[in-house]
Amino acid sequence: MNQIEHFDPEDHPELEQTDFDRMTAKGISRRNFLRGGAAAMGLFLAANPLAQAVAAVTRPEPSKLMGFKAVPASTADTFVVPEGYVAKPLISWGDPILKGAPAFDASGTQNAAAQAGQFGDNTDGMSFFPLDEDRALLAVNNEYINPEYLFAHQGKQDLTADEVKKSQAAHGVSIFEIRRNAKGEWQVNRDSDHNRRITAYTPMELTGPAAGHALMKTAADPSGRKPLGTFNNCANGETPWGTYLTCEENFHKYFASAQDDVALPARDTRYGLKAGNRDYQWYRHDERFDLAKHPNEPHRFGWVVEIDPMDPTATPKKRTALGRFKHENAALTIDPSGHVVVYLGDDERGEHLYKFVSKAKYNPNNQQANRDLLEEGTLYVARFSANDGEIKGQGEWIELTHGKNGLTAENGFADQAEVLIFAREAATQVGATTMDRPEWVAVHPDNKAVFCTLTNNKNRGKEGQPVGGPNPRAKNNYGQIVRWWPHQGNHVDSRFDWDLFAMAGNPTVAEGLYAGSDNITADNMFNSPDGLGFDAAGRLWIQTDGKYSNEGEFAGMGNNQMLCADPQTGEIRRFATGPIACEITGLAFSPDQRTVFIGVQHPGEELAPSHFPGGGNSKPRSTIMVVQREDGGVIGA
Ligand code: FEO
Ligand code: CA
Ligand code: CA
């Protein structure tokens, strides 16, 4: 039991021996710190007592949870799965999903109306909603666009009004029906009445404490409650009452101005807003994106949006109680107390990790009664502390409620709406820990442990972002996965214990902490863990959005990839590799666990030489892959 001595057993009566075994922090080994002595990392080691004092642990035992044979790293322009598995494209950017929408045309000259009936670009987070045994809806985020493929002129010209609209139509969410045929293959049903496109101009509703606030009102919407659209929808979540959560991430990029200089308050520039963000050019033809004219419009973005996928006429609801930041995903669980808890990452260097707790309790016997649980509750932000000389320790959730913890009018927060709209500023006010870009959060199906990818952070070690705690490496190019256990197994508890499940690294070229944790080897190495999710059996699936140069500090890692981990033994095994210049992001399992849908985002980005998935000389397209086993078995087993 010595590896878990930082736990007070009284804090964790919910854990059993197998849980304790899982906490042995296989990831972080002294071997890595000693290897190579004081060579390249000498300075860092000397400056970092943590690195010298981590307990030695053994290599992971072979996993009983994972039964597939690992795939090697790849630089090929293909999607590779293990022996005995098959992967086929389900849908690609531009495929029609609404009745009457035209087929994909690779010329880049299709208009906005065509795009508005087709699958959007840059597939990202997605969820599977069963209709019956062989029919389901997939709700999928279309995060952003690749102008080099969307437009014939590759985005090198000023956009026309129709091109702005087309760009807006390629963003948002796609919802469509899929059916399983007699051979067990899933295919899109283009004629389903369920199919829907949600874009950057779909009418929405703001709900919760910030709805209707003065900072939300615009010339076009004096109510401050009726924003149009959602965009930069990164990752996702789903609720037990059958709704889809889509999370708005880098919303700042879409706001600009014809005017070079627009003076904005620091609480706005903290989100990256500035007049010169002209890549998207939406302000040219859609005035609400001009910061000089409509400074409140950006306050209506950066939220988690709840969508009822079953009703194509339902108005999506922006849930302001969950805070405004660059949301990655929304990992929802039901606490033993019955409160709904949602873990939320803010993906930016030095930003924070959040938790929402609903005011009302979940009612398992009346799903209709649950539909507004995300409208009211309490937001918290994480503060980590480390045990002396260790990369593990304790943490606490600090409440972001107006009037508490210094969130007062004297400190610039007039009311709760301001706390939520400027959640980043509130988090700083209460002393939250600056993190290495929190991406996806995933709750283990046993509901006891929570994992979060911290993808990378080149700024770690600079002013305001001290090395330490769950962010133990300066100039962190590889990323890590932090996990924590709430006290007593209660997600509403303000205290937790944490460690690192894995530190990505490159044991073939780097030393010390940069070689990675003990569960990182020459055979499974990767960088920039991002997508994250559990299957029903508790296998942890990791997707990467990293550097794919395959050179220098990334040598041997190849293209972006998907890995599988056994949380108990710590073993990590590469499951799939993507084509050239893609990111692997988005995963959804069928309830029988025999199909997994995996997103291949932006193959061939910035004109890299990919022709995925069509091959030949075709234009590369973001694509959802369907992965199954030839023997029909459970994925990963
Ligand atoms: Fe859309 Fe943080 O990735
Ligand atoms: Ca991501
Ligand atoms: Ca990322």
Side-chain angles (χ1 to χ4, degrees), residues 277-296:
N277 284 338
R278 297 211 178 95
D279 286 355
Y280 282 91
Q281 303 188 36
W282 289 4
Y283 72 98
R284 290 181 186 280
H285 299 286
D286 190 343
E287 189 186 289
R288 66 193 169 109
F289 294 98
D290 191 323
L291 284 169
K293 294 177 180 162
H294 303 288
N296 280 349

Side-chain angles (χ1 to χ4, degrees), residues 234 328 439-440 530 583:
C234 184
E328 188 72 21
E439 302 252 24
W440 296 44
D530 187 340
E583 165 183 349

Side-chain angles (χ1 to χ4, degrees), residues 46-58:
N48 186 357
L50 286 176
Q52 300 167 2
V54 176
V57 289
T58 52

